[in-house]
Amino acid sequence: MNSITLFRILKNGVINYSRNFWLSLAATSIMAITLFTVSSLLIIKAVTDISLKTIEDKVDISVYFKLGVPEAIIKQIQDQVDSFPQVKSVNYIPSVLAREKFKELHKNEPLLIESVEQFSDEENPFPASLAIRVASLDDYQNIITVFQAENLNPYVKKITDKRDVVDRLQKITDAIKKIGIVLTIFFSALTVIVLFNTIRLTIYNRREEIEIMRLVGASDSYIRGPFLIEGVFYGLTGAVLTAALLYPILYFLGPRLSSFLEIDITKLADYGLNIWLLFGALVGLGVVLGAISSLIAVRKYLKI
Amino acid sequence: MIHFDNVTKIYSNGTLALEGLDIEITPGEFISIVGKSGAGKSTLLKLITREDIPTEGAIYIEKVDIAKIRAKDIHFLRRKMGVVFQDIKLLPTRTAFENIAYALEVDGSPNSKIKKEVANILELVGLESKAEAFPDQLSGGEKQRVAIARALAHQPILLLADEPTGNLDSVNAMEILELLEKINALGTTVILATHASELVNKIKKRVIALDEGRVVSDVVQGKYKI
């Protein structure tokens, strides 16, 4: 195919797009709705992931030591636990600090504060503890097992057992993730089918044009080319339209969403949802969908 | 140039459209195919343009059995011929100029050549002033003249016209006929399918009459009769 033919195919694509204005507008709108749906689902999924992660981060294990366990031993245990790969952080809270925290927590209740201050540092009834955070909820049980083992158990006074909460949380997050995937697939498929049918109708509407082109001696590729270009245009314009709709929403809604969900929405980028990357993906997806739909739809009328 | 060798066409629903056709067409002829609706005129033209293929027998154009041309090469065959239809079939989103130019663009002709040839052909059909008009801004006769101009643009060896005057009044019909005769005089073979008797009687050239898919008469200087 030489350059003049290529140029003519491009030109015909542009002419078709602009002179069939209402058809193009219909196809472009459906394309924008498709892309908007898909990207909204992606964003909702990312926000859900962040929220779940934030909740998971708030769950920690507190191991309280018996009074009189020397600080050196606790530090030793801390180093040991810290070396486990699944452990994210281990915080040592000495009994002095535990008492300060208690006082801070109850600063409006002078009676409680007074009673706590009755004790000298040596008699401090607040146990020293380790606050352990793990990378994944599944590792929670492993850590508890370590402290229940014979070598550590004698030092341990109590492990705050949040297994119920964790179990429930885990079930909810699993369910949310599964429902999210099913919904994403369902709605994406739905809009893609609608998009395909819209493009098919715009081409059905022009089947006689294809017949005419065939009869005046246009080759298959010369007929198909402009329709392909139109499909690509639906993708490009649809992506721009989607971005014009989506980004202001994100911009105005983002801060509100951040404070409502107590998460930082700017973290979206950490979850592969960079705003420019998203635009690139929208364009890519739109162009591919438009081109494939056009090619499939036009094939039927090229058989004359 | 065109040779029908015992051509029979039966459609998939069982309709017998053409039966045992043996026709020889030589270059430069002007042939009128006449007959009632359903006699097989349109089927005959569709077999020549290779929109359809015979059920039996073969059609040779310049000694090539056109049923054997591969689907992706059919456009080479169609560039040898021009087709004019009763329902005109112009591209609705293209101007008169662009419609005619389209037939030249498909084979990669340079723009300078297209510009010159389209201008010449618009002059031949008398529509220089309507070059930038879209089809829905043209009258029926003007549209058909644009369609003829398009069919001629790539200088085909064969012009097929299927009831080109069917939707036109008698004055416009006569103008179209004169145009076809002018084109024939310039050397292009013309095959005209019609049931307009007054046109056929005026032409005084070869007339092939079809009835129920069979040739019932083939006269060199014929008149319309069924």
Side-chain angles (χ1 to χ4, degrees):
Chain A
M1 195 175 288
N2 56 22
S3 59
I4 189 150
T5 306
L6 214 58
F7 172 76
R8 280 175 186 159
I9 286 176
L10 198 67
K11 189 189 77 179
N12 280 323
V14 176
I15 290 179
N16 288 348
Y17 186 86
S18 56
R19 293 194 192 164
N20 292 298
F21 179 74
W22 291 107
L23 283 180
S24 303
L25 188 69
T28 302
S29 317
I30 298 288
M31 174 66 84
I33 291 172
T34 303
L35 295 177
F36 188 79
T37 309
V38 173
S39 47
S40 304
L41 289 168
L42 285 177
I43 289 170
I44 290 170
K45 190 181 175 312
V47 170
T48 318
D49 283 354
I50 297 173
S51 315
L52 292 177
K53 200 83 201 144
T54 315
I55 297 169
E56 279 186 17
D57 280 349
K58 281 182 182 159
V59 175
D60 64 358
I61 308 168
S62 292
V63 179
Y64 296 96
F65 292 91
K66 289 178 177 158
L67 292 175
V69 175
E71 191 170 309
I73 289 183
I74 298 177
K75 288 263 188 194
Q76 207 183 326
I77 295 170
Q78 183 187 8
D79 289 344
Q80 197 189 334
V81 173
D82 211 7
S83 67
F84 295 153
Q86 64 267 55
V87 169
K88 252 170 50 181
S89 71
V90 186
N91 260 338
Y92 172 49
I93 300 151
S95 44
V96 184
L97 193 62
R99 182 164 69 176
E100 292 309 313
K101 274 193 169 176
F102 182 87
K103 279 157 78 175
E104 176 67 28
L105 207 62
H106 299 279
K107 60 183 175 198
N108 296 330
E109 295 159 81
L111 207 68
L112 269 178
I113 306 255
E114 205 180 309
S115 63
V116 167
E117 276 174 348
Q118 302 250 313
F119 298 98
S120 69
D121 278 356
E122 285 76 34
E123 295 164 332
N124 184 355
F126 290 91
S129 64
L130 289 177
I132 304 164
R133 286 198 169 152
V134 288
S136 140
L137 291 178
D138 301 325
D139 302 324
Y140 198 78
Q141 186 54 42
N142 295 337
I143 300 299
I144 293 175
T145 317
V146 169
F147 283 96
Q148 284 168 341
E150 238 168 274
N151 59 335
L152 292 181
N153 200 28
Y155 303 120
V156 175
K157 185 183 174 201
K158 184 178 122 191
I159 301 170
T160 48
D161 198 347
K162 295 177 190 159
R163 255 178 293 185
D164 285 0
V165 182
V166 172
D167 265 4
R168 227 179 305 153
L169 187 62
Q170 216 160 16
K171 274 184 193 140
I172 293 170
T173 53
D174 281 354
I176 291 176
K177 278 179 187 165
K178 269 181 204 149
I179 292 170
I181 289 170
V182 170
L183 282 183
T184 306
I185 292 173
F186 178 73
F187 281 108
S188 304
L190 203 70
T191 48
V192 166
I193 290 169
V194 173
L195 171 72
F196 173 69
N197 274 313
T198 308
I199 292 183
R200 225 169 53 128
L201 279 177
T202 67
I203 291 178
Y204 172 81
N205 208 20
R206 285 152 62 195
R207 65 198 180 284
E208 200 188 81
E209 285 183 45
I210 296 175
E211 188 195 335
I212 298 168
M213 292 167 181
R214 290 286 282 155
L215 289 173
V216 299
S219 64
D220 284 1
S221 54
Y222 193 80
I223 297 172
R224 210 186 288 128
F227 283 101
L228 183 70
I229 302 287
E230 277 179 77
V232 169
F233 275 161
Y234 296 150
L236 287 177
T237 46
V240 171
L241 218 66
T242 305
L245 206 64
L246 190 65
Y247 289 171
I249 292 179
L250 277 184
Y251 182 79
F252 288 112
L253 219 61
R256 266 167 236 205
L257 209 60
S258 290
S259 59
F260 177 70
L261 293 171
E262 295 182 7
I263 56 166
D264 187 358
I265 204 127
T266 55
K267 273 195 198 155
L268 279 174
D270 300 344
Y271 290 81
L273 217 87
N274 178 293
I275 228 79
W276 289 109
L277 208 69
L278 179 68
F279 183 64
L282 283 180
V283 170
L285 185 68
V287 165
V288 168
L289 280 179
I292 290 178
S293 306
S294 282
L295 284 185
I296 294 176
V298 84
R299 209 177 51 161
K300 192 176 163 193
Y301 303 107
L302 281 177
K303 286 179 184 152
I304 300 164
Chain B
M1 184 174 80
I2 304 177
H3 175 58
F4 277 68
D5 182 15
N6 195 23
V7 171
T8 296
K9 176 66 192 176
I10 303 168
Y11 284 112
S12 54
N13 63 9
T15 312
L16 177 74
L18 292 173
E19 192 181 1
L21 250 59
D22 279 302
I23 302 172
E24 183 73 43
I25 296 167
T26 53
E29 275 195 285
F30 191 122
I31 298 174
S32 303
I33 313 268
V34 300
K36 292 182 288 197
S37 294
K41 306 186 295 287
S42 293
T43 302
L44 191 145
L45 294 189
K46 280 200 165 102
L47 292 179
I48 298 177
T49 56
R50 180 63 158 75
E51 283 173 78
D52 219 329
I53 53 171
T55 316
E56 273 170 52
I59 298 167
Y60 298 89
I61 296 181
E62 295 188 319
K63 303 207 171 16
V64 177
D65 179 354
I66 61 169
K68 296 207 169 105
I69 298 174
R70 284 177 301 177
K72 68 180 185 63
D73 293 328
I74 294 173
H75 59 276
F76 292 116
L77 171 74
R78 298 205 173 127
R79 286 177 196 170
K80 289 180 193 287
M81 51 181 86
V83 194
V84 182
F85 310 90
Q86 178 177 4
D87 58 348
I88 298 168
K89 293 190 197 291
L90 292 175
L91 297 171
T93 58
R94 299 297 203 280
T95 63
F97 183 96
E98 287 169 336
N99 261 289
I100 300 164
Y102 191 88
L104 289 167
E105 287 172 354
V106 293
D107 67 354
S109 305
N111 286 332
S112 53
K113 182 186 161 197
I114 292 176
K115 229 174 160 175
K116 218 174 78 193
E117 303 234 332
V118 175
N120 285 342
I121 210 131
L122 275 170
E123 200 187 321
L124 178 76
V125 298
L127 283 177
E128 306 96 304
S129 60
K130 303 279 185 171
E132 296 310 316
F134 285 92
D136 58 10
Q137 298 165 335
L138 296 170
S139 73
E142 287 169 337
K143 276 190 238 184
Q144 196 55 290
R145 279 188 278 164
V146 173
I148 292 174
R150 175 184 62 191
L152 293 174
H154 54 295
Q155 296 174 344
I157 54 171
L158 174 67
L159 181 73
L160 302 170
D162 188 3
E163 303 275 11
T165 60
N167 288 341
L168 303 177
D169 59 54
S170 57
V171 176
N172 270 307
M174 218 41 96
E175 276 178 23
I176 295 294
L177 181 70
E178 279 161 17
L179 196 54
L180 292 178
E181 287 181 306
K182 193 153 103 186
I183 291 153
N184 178 244
L186 293 171
T188 306
T189 309
V190 176
I191 301 179
L192 166 70
T194 185
H195 54 230
S197 52
E198 72 278 11
L199 293 188
V200 178
N201 293 339
K202 188 176 169 287
I203 301 166
K204 298 191 183 67
K205 292 207 169 144
R206 183 176 171 191
V207 177
I208 297 175
L210 291 178
D211 190 31
E212 293 186 349
R214 269 174 301 210
V215 176
V216 289
S217 81
D218 185 349
V219 187
V220 177
Q221 275 207 337
K223 287 210 160 205
Y224 189 95
K225 58 166 190 208
I226 295 171

